[in-house]
Amino acid sequence: MKSRGPPKRSSYGTFLIIICFSIGLLAGYLFLGSPRTMAAALKQQQSDKSEHVAPSKDSISKEMAAALKQQQSDKSERAAGAATDKDRKEKEAMMKAQQSDKSENKAASGTVSTRQEQAKSAVAGGAGVATAAVVGTDAKPNTTSTSSVATTAVTANATTAANPTVNTATTAAPVNASAAAGAAAGNASAAATTAPAKAAVKGVFPDANTWPITPVKEKMPGNTIHTLFTSNGSPYQNIQARIMVGTYNIVRKMPGGERLVALTRILHRTTPDEVMDEIPTFIAQPLQPECDKWCWFPVADRANAMQQWIDAAEKDPSLVKAPWLLLLETDYVWMKPLPDPGDAYDRSVPGWSFGFDYIAPSIPIIRKLLTERCPDCDPATIPNSGPAPVLARFSDFKAATPIWEELSKWIETHEEAKKMLGWVREMYAWDIGVAANKLNIRNQPPPSSPLISQPPHDRSIGNASMYHYTWGTLYKKRGQEKEKEFWIFDKRTYTAYEHMLKLPAIPMPPDWYDGIVLQDGLPVTKELHDTVVDMLRRMNEAVAQLPDLTENVKKQKEAAAAAAAAGKTSTS
């Protein structure tokens, strides 16, 4: 018998295998595309991703490198407190919720009658007291350090609320009854923050440069200045605010100080605070009520608060005391009056802003956000500034603030944008608002800027009228950089409630000698040392003139407690 070889595969089975294989190839081609198409898709994905991430250090400009260096330089700013990861996530979730439209509407939904009662003593240019709804915040990477921001809640002062007084030291004219009534009427709808005029794209107003300079019908002296600053009323910011206002009062007595006609603190807080009688105050309803005690990024409220003040001022023009508005932060030190800015009613005269070398408007996301709102705008016109310090007309703030407010909220709810832009993110929102509306504001860096100098980053005051102490100044011995500093001035160490009431004198540095270096190893020159001494001397001059509020606040709290107890007794 012949042996059999392996059985032959049927031609039918082979045919089926070929058909199945062919169908598989066709399906893969249809659903996934050709190899060339797939490669192109992967390349596009990589390109898209690069649009949404910060550029690498190898590909960034000097300007962007400076921005990244600033964002990474100060651990005390980036640490955002010593909270655990769990606490951090909970607080971030709370803040994100506060930024939603729903929570914003809830924060602004107080009854009209309550708002009107609160607004009776909320004034601009005079000492306000109760809660209204109209403006403010604090700062940039130098804004409130969340690692050290005070957590003390403020008890409302019933006695002060019942008897508001006007601080004539920082006010051009006393506030009258009609001004307070006008503020009350304006506050009822201020929190709605509707756009002040129709715009083809939200926040872009092609006719902005033709708007009235101010809502005030009577012409005011064109070179006068109304100073504004924002705060959340924490001890950390109130310590700075009291010193800043003290130095403001000093320079008002100098030649040129007559142009500084009024000062208003824009307080974004749910309750009055302890310095209401000392500092002329206008109260805005905050987006983040928890910032009364503690929050991660209180400056996120600044644009919304400013919009509230603008809305209220349009309803009650007496809130505006001069055609030039100067928006500052709490951590400024006045050294001399601003130079004459020129006639605000002459539209060819530019406003002023300050060029920060750690703001990088060429970052792709910033250019993209501008062109989305203003396709014909040149991204090169985005200033490397921020909302403070800025000297501009009321009409300029009215035009720039809607985009500033919108993007401030947008950034807070987009983690990638927050990571890319860091602690200065809200400043970029302002810059886009300025560029999109093509405002006539001249942006100047130090030392030519007439606004601020920032020691120890800047070695001298240059042309500036104020110092800004955003950075700490730590003295170390050369060759011992790893050792503890032998002298320090850092605003983050001044957060105590008792220091807010009774300001301590700031220790002066020891005499200069060759061999002192800063915390980053750079040498402390004689010029820089003298600049630091100049700033601290002026601060201590103001501190020496400021009253101790301890006993006054104690009596106010006792009166408020007694009134509350009496109210409970009468209702029981």
Side-chain angles (χ1 to χ4, degrees), residues 43-220:
K43 186 177 180 180
Q44 178 61 38
Q45 287 177 15
Q46 293 170 353
S47 174
D48 291 344
K49 185 177 180 182
S50 68
E51 291 287 333
H52 299 286
V53 297
S56 67
K57 287 188 177 179
D58 293 336
S59 64
I60 58 180
S61 65
K62 270 187 175 180
E63 171 191 50
M64 294 169 70
L68 292 171
K69 182 179 179 182
Q70 161 60 19
Q71 291 177 18
Q72 296 165 2
S73 63
D74 193 341
K75 289 185 179 180
S76 67
E77 293 284 7
R78 291 185 290 110
T84 63
D85 287 342
K86 182 178 179 181
D87 290 339
R88 178 178 58 80
K89 289 177 181 178
E90 289 175 353
K91 285 186 170 68
E92 285 182 341
M94 287 174 62
M95 191 176 92
K96 187 173 181 180
Q98 285 293 349
Q99 298 297 339
S100 69
D101 291 339
K102 182 176 179 182
S103 62
E104 180 189 352
N105 292 337
K106 182 178 179 182
S109 64
T111 63
V112 173
S113 60
T114 301
R115 284 280 176 81
Q116 289 175 340
E117 283 301 313
Q118 292 171 341
K120 285 179 182 177
S121 43
V123 298
V129 189
T131 53
V134 234
V135 161
T137 290
D138 27 80
K140 44 182 152 289
N142 60 299
T143 53
T144 308
S145 169
T146 52
S147 62
S148 59
V149 66
T151 58
T152 307
V154 175
T155 304
N157 175 1
T159 304
T160 311
N163 300 287
T165 58
V166 175
N167 181 356
T168 56
T170 55
T171 308
V175 177
N176 54 39
S178 63
N187 290 337
S189 59
T193 62
T194 54
K198 276 197 171 182
V201 177
K202 185 179 179 183
V204 178
F205 307 99
D207 62 341
N209 289 307
T210 66
W211 290 351
I213 298 299
T214 82
V216 180
K217 292 182 180 179
E218 300 78 17
K219 190 171 181 179
M220 299 174 281

Side-chain angles (χ1 to χ4, degrees), residues 292-358:
D292 281 13
K293 296 182 179 180
W294 185 91
C295 65
W296 284 99
F297 195 59
V299 79
D301 281 12
R302 172 159 55 177
N304 173 264
M306 188 68 184
Q307 185 65 62
Q308 291 182 53
W309 184 82
I310 291 168
D311 291 342
E314 292 211 291
K315 296 179 186 300
D316 176 16
S318 69
L319 298 179
V320 181
K321 305 297 182 183
W324 287 114
L325 300 179
L326 175 64
L327 184 57
L328 304 180
E329 293 176 325
T330 55
D331 55 347
Y332 285 25
V333 179
W334 284 84
M335 299 305 295
K336 63 183 180 182
L338 282 183
D340 190 327
D343 185 359
Y345 296 99
D346 179 354
R347 295 183 186 275
S348 68
V349 176
W352 301 335
S353 63
F354 180 81
F356 293 93
D357 63 3
Y358 48 79

Side-chain angles (χ1 to χ4, degrees), residues 486-570:
F486 63 86
W487 178 82
I488 178 173
F489 168 68
D490 191 328
K491 64 181 181 180
R492 298 157 193 85
T493 63
Y494 293 89
T495 62
Y497 181 81
E498 58 271 20
H499 287 165
M500 174 185 70
L501 302 179
K502 184 179 181 180
L503 293 169
I506 299 167
M508 299 296 290
D511 291 340
W512 178 84
Y513 62 88
D514 187 15
I516 303 174
V517 297
L518 294 171
Q519 57 267 38
D520 55 7
L522 292 177
V524 175
T525 63
K526 182 68 164 58
E527 180 184 40
L528 172 58
H529 177 81
D530 290 345
T531 298
V532 172
V533 169
D534 186 44
M535 179 178 73
L536 296 184
R537 277 181 179 160
R538 176 54 55 83
M539 294 174 77
N540 280 334
E541 182 183 357
V543 167
Q545 297 177 15
L546 289 168
D548 182 352
L549 302 179
T550 306
E551 285 303 312
N552 187 42
V553 168
K554 181 181 177 182
K555 290 176 182 178
Q556 290 170 352
K557 288 185 176 182
E558 289 172 350
K568 286 182 180 180
T569 303
S570 63

